[in-house]
Amino acid sequence: MEVILASVFSAIIIFITVFFMMKVYIIAFKRNDISLRKCIIFSTSSIVIGLLVAGVLPFGYQKIMDYIN
């Protein structure tokens, strides 16, 4: 149960971080600091990395809990 709760709360934090990174990329694109291609690449990579990390979290937390107990 604690592994699920820890994973959910960590995933929420990761998704909030990715959401704000998307806002940063959009603001940078509107100010012409980055090109559209870079904005798309950065946004896509942020989403994919966030999903991968959120997907691996339960297994990592389970390993930690196994070591503790």
Side-chain angles (χ1 to χ4, degrees), residues 8-64:
V8 168
F9 288 128
S10 296
I12 290 170
I13 292 170
I14 290 169
F15 291 142
I16 290 170
T17 304
V18 169
F19 173 75
F20 283 111
M21 288 301 295
M22 296 286 295
K23 288 177 77 171
V24 167
Y25 298 143
I26 291 170
I27 290 170
F29 171 69
K30 287 181 181 177
R31 294 179 62 189
N32 293 325
D33 289 337
I34 60 173
S35 65
L36 178 62
R37 184 178 301 258
K38 281 187 181 180
C39 182
I40 292 171
I41 290 171
F42 292 158
S43 300
T44 305
S45 63
S46 296
I47 292 170
V48 169
I49 291 170
L51 287 173
L52 287 174
V53 170
V56 172
L57 277 175
F59 302 110
Y61 284 137
Q62 186 64 44
K63 291 282 186 184
I64 292 170

